[in-house]
Amino acid sequence: MSTLMTGIVTVRDLDIRKVVQVLEQTTREILTVLQSVHQPTGFKEIPSKCLKARELFCTVRTYTGELKTKFPVEQYYRYHEHWRFVLQRLAFLAAFVVYLESESLVTREEVANILAIEVDREKGFHLDVEDYLAGVLLMASELSRLAVNSVTAGDYGRPLRISNFINELDSGFRLLNLKNDPLRKRYDGLKYDVKKIEEVVYDLSIRGLAKEQETGGDK
């Protein structure tokens, strides 16, 4: 009997891994699309790149829907390690798209909606709180890079707005009692992102570029 059960579990694991592999491939495609916004001409293409990313999220929803059928609802955390990493990456990409579109912080509910999964644990395949937070922290690191590249592209107002956003995000994370070690380490990285962006803003200030942008209008 135990041998039979082991065989069933192995088959289930393999089925899950096959779907996760496709999700990982789509995740890489979305990342490739969004990474292009860092190019000097990429800022003008932000709306079209976000639209393309949204289209690819439709593919993601197809496979998250398939993934839901591969395990019993009550055994989510038994198989969580299979999709934890890719789900965090998808949460990051969803957060980045929403920021690029509206310069606002995506909610956990919004990410779950983009991925067509649940928020409540009781409903089965859902977006774990820690996976959502890990995705948001990955997005913060991406924004620090965007702040630097904004200057190269001559967009001097964007780093200031990113700085305000990241500082508010940092303040929010300070209120949390993070017990998850990997998440705690990732949060520690946020301090470096804050410092990096502050250096960009400071450099703009001493050159008079930040004030010039404010006078001319951020957007």
Side-chain angles (χ1 to χ4, degrees):
M1 181 68 177
S2 60
T3 303
L4 178 61
M5 288 303 294
T6 301
I8 292 174
V9 170
T10 301
V11 170
R12 181 171 290 160
D13 287 343
L14 290 174
D15 286 344
I16 290 173
R17 286 171 188 164
K18 287 178 182 177
V19 181
V20 169
Q21 284 173 355
V22 179
L23 275 174
E24 289 172 342
Q25 176 58 39
T26 308
T27 300
R28 287 191 290 270
E29 292 175 14
I30 298 173
L31 181 61
T32 299
V33 169
L34 294 179
Q35 288 286 294
S36 64
V37 304
H38 292 290
Q39 301 300 319
T41 60
F43 292 90
K44 297 178 181 178
E45 300 175 352
I46 284 177
S48 63
K49 297 302 180 183
C50 288
L51 183 61
K52 177 61 178 176
R54 290 277 187 177
E55 292 172 358
L56 287 168
F57 273 117
C58 291
T59 302
V60 169
R61 289 195 285 273
T62 297
Y63 289 102
T64 54
E66 185 176 338
L67 197 54
K68 294 175 186 177
T69 68
K70 300 299 182 182
F71 65 96
V73 171
E74 69 278 4
Q75 293 185 11
Y76 176 89
Y77 284 103
R78 178 175 180 176
Y79 299 99
H80 182 229
E81 282 302 310
H82 284 303
W83 58 72
R84 178 175 61 87
F85 177 75
V86 71
L87 212 56
Q88 290 178 2
R89 299 291 289 180
L90 286 167
F92 145 57
L93 293 170
F96 192 38
V97 167
V98 169
Y99 180 84
L100 290 173
E101 291 174 338
S102 62
E103 297 192 356
S104 61
L105 176 63
V106 72
T107 65
R108 182 171 162 233
E109 289 75 15
E110 286 174 318
V111 175
N113 183 58
I114 290 171
L115 304 182
I117 59 179
E118 305 292 341
V119 174
D120 298 328
R121 175 176 178 174
E122 293 74 19
K123 294 183 179 179
F125 194 76
H126 63 284
L127 179 61
D128 183 83
V129 174
E130 291 180 351
D131 289 340
Y132 161 71
L133 293 175
V136 169
L137 288 171
L138 284 170
M139 185 261 300
S141 181
E142 194 73 13
L143 289 181
S144 70
R145 181 185 172 197
L146 189 67
V148 173
N149 292 327
S150 297
V151 177
T152 304
D155 186 346
Y156 305 130
R158 192 180 298 271
L160 276 68
R161 301 196 300 275
I162 290 176
S163 178
N164 291 334
F165 176 84
I166 291 296
N167 279 311
E168 289 181 12
L169 187 65
D170 183 47
S171 297
F173 268 94
R174 289 177 185 274
L175 299 175
L176 302 178
N177 181 19
L178 300 176
K179 297 179 180 179
N180 178 297
D181 286 341
L183 190 61
R184 178 72 197 187
K185 290 177 181 177
R186 191 161 284 168
Y187 167 63
D188 289 340
L190 181 60
K191 301 171 187 176
Y192 296 101
D193 294 327
V194 170
K195 183 179 179 181
K196 184 177 179 180
I197 297 169
E198 285 178 346
E199 289 174 351
V200 173
V201 171
Y202 175 74
D203 189 53
L204 288 172
S205 298
I206 62 175
R207 293 172 183 269
L209 295 173
K211 188 173 182 180
E212 176 184 311
Q213 186 73 30
E214 289 173 359
T215 303
D218 285 355
K219 300 178 183 179

